């Protein structure tokens, strides 16, 4: 079973400094049919103007992943972390018992990023931060695991039974991911267009995949995408 969450049907708000699209219900956007998928709760596609951003604000009991598509974001938090996240980097912040952080575009070009929230496998975890770079050649033409419960293959560690993969595909190129029995997938197309198991997809689309034994993503134009493999 494959269901495409069309990019144009997402929640949308333009605050001037922030242009944001919500795949699932978030903030003032509420749709009872799109509250998340399995343990995936939020996917926001944000474009942030130069020298603007999200000031200090709190989170708790959530696994938060930042994936930058263009520009850079500066992260600061109450754990003492200060870091810059750029394309190719993946950041995971475990909010756990509570953390306060900011995400600022203190740079001269717009910031384009995906903000992802995943429900943790338990509440009250120790807050934590992790960031790693994954070179383009690691993701080209394949699904490369970038987050997992056990940090396999040099990936980030996420506190949930979830595998997050990234891929880059050139025109005509395909990547395949096998789904174990009882597993589900969500594929978020960040750029480009193509087909997923023969179904047309394009930038901004999200695809729910259940009761399938594999996911095959084929690019008609160069594609960047994320695949979440979940229980």
């Amino acid at each position: 079973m494959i269901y495409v969450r069309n990019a144009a049907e997402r929640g949308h708000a333009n605050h001037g400094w922030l242009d944001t699209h919500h795949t699932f219900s978030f903030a003032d956007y509420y749709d009872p049919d799109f509250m998340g998928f399995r343990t995936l709760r939020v996917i926001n596609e944000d474009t942030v103007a130069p020298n603007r951003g999200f000031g200090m604000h709190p989170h708790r009991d959530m696994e938060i992943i930042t994936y930058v598509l263009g520009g850079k974001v500066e992260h600061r938090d109450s754990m003492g972390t200060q870091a810059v996240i750029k394309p190719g980097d993946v950041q995971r912040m475990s909010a756990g018992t509570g953390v306060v952080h900011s995400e600022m575009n203190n740079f001269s070009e717009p910031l384009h990023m995906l903000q992802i929230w995943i429900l943790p496998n338990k509440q009250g975890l120790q807050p934590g931060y992790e960031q790693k770079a994954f070179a383009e050649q690691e993701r080209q033409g394949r699904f490369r695991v970038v987050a997992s419960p056990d940090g396999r293959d040099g990936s980030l560690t996420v506190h949930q039974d979830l595998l997050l993969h990234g891929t880059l595909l050139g025109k005509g190129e395909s990547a395949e991911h096998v789904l174990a029995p009882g597993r589900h997938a969500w594929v978020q197309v960040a750029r480009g267009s193509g087909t997923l198991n023969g179904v047309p997809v394009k930038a901004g689309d999200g695809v729910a995949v259940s009761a399938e034994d594999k996911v095959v993503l084929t690019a008609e134009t160069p594609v960047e995408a994320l695949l979440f493999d979940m229980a």
Side-chain angles (χ1 to χ4, degrees):
M1 184 178 70
I2 294 174
Y3 177 84
V4 178
R5 169 67 156 147
N6 193 284
E9 296 174 352
R10 295 176 294 176
H12 177 238
N14 191 334
H15 303 286
W17 66 273
L18 169 66
D19 189 11
T20 181
H21 292 82
H22 308 311
T23 294
F24 304 117
S25 294
F26 185 86
D28 293 334
Y29 169 65
Y30 175 74
D31 185 334
D33 293 329
F34 293 96
M35 297 300 296
F37 181 75
R38 317 299 294 183
T39 54
L40 179 58
R41 178 61 189 85
V42 167
I43 301 179
N44 291 343
E45 182 179 357
D46 293 340
T47 301
V48 181
N51 301 307
R52 298 298 298 269
F54 305 92
M56 283 292 191
H57 59 282
H59 293 282
R60 65 182 301 126
D61 291 323
M62 195 66 69
E63 300 287 283
I64 299 172
I65 292 176
T66 300
Y67 186 92
V68 174
L69 295 163
K72 294 179 288 188
V73 57
E74 184 175 355
H75 168 100
R76 295 174 184 260
D77 64 42
S78 54
M79 296 177 285
T81 311
Q82 180 177 349
V84 173
I85 308 151
K86 59 187 184 303
D89 295 341
V90 183
Q91 175 224 60
R92 184 268 304 163
M93 185 180 75
S94 297
T97 54
V99 67
V100 178
H101 79 137
S102 65
E103 299 156 297
M104 300 298 298
N105 179 15
N106 294 321
F107 305 98
S108 59
E109 61 180 307
L111 164 66
H112 185 199
M113 64 180 175
L114 297 178
Q115 291 274 272
I116 298 157
W117 293 10
I118 297 162
L119 298 170
N121 53 20
K122 59 183 176 182
Q123 296 188 335
L125 292 167
Q126 178 72 24
Y129 182 93
E130 195 177 10
Q131 178 179 334
K132 292 188 176 182
F134 298 91
E136 288 189 4
Q137 57 265 34
E138 294 184 63
R139 296 173 285 143
Q140 190 67 49
R142 62 189 283 254
F143 284 113
R144 202 282 189 216
V145 62
V146 297
S148 65
D150 52 9
R152 68 188 66 174
D153 299 328
S155 64
L156 301 171
T157 301
V158 64
H159 298 96
Q160 184 51 266
D161 181 9
L162 177 148
L163 300 168
L164 173 58
H165 299 77
T167 190
L168 298 169
L169 301 174
K171 182 179 179 180
E173 201 168 20
S174 294
E176 179 178 314
H177 176 75
V178 175
L179 283 173
R183 303 289 291 187
H184 306 258
W186 182 276
V187 177
Q188 190 70 27
V189 182
R191 308 181 201 274
S193 61
T195 61
L196 191 149
N197 289 15
V199 177
V201 293
K202 63 186 182 307
D205 287 352
V207 188
V209 182
S210 296
E212 301 277 341
D213 58 7
K214 62 182 177 180
V215 175
V216 180
L217 182 61
T218 301
E220 293 178 356
T221 63
V223 161
E224 183 168 5
L226 295 175
L227 182 151
F228 302 80
D229 179 327
M230 294 170 279

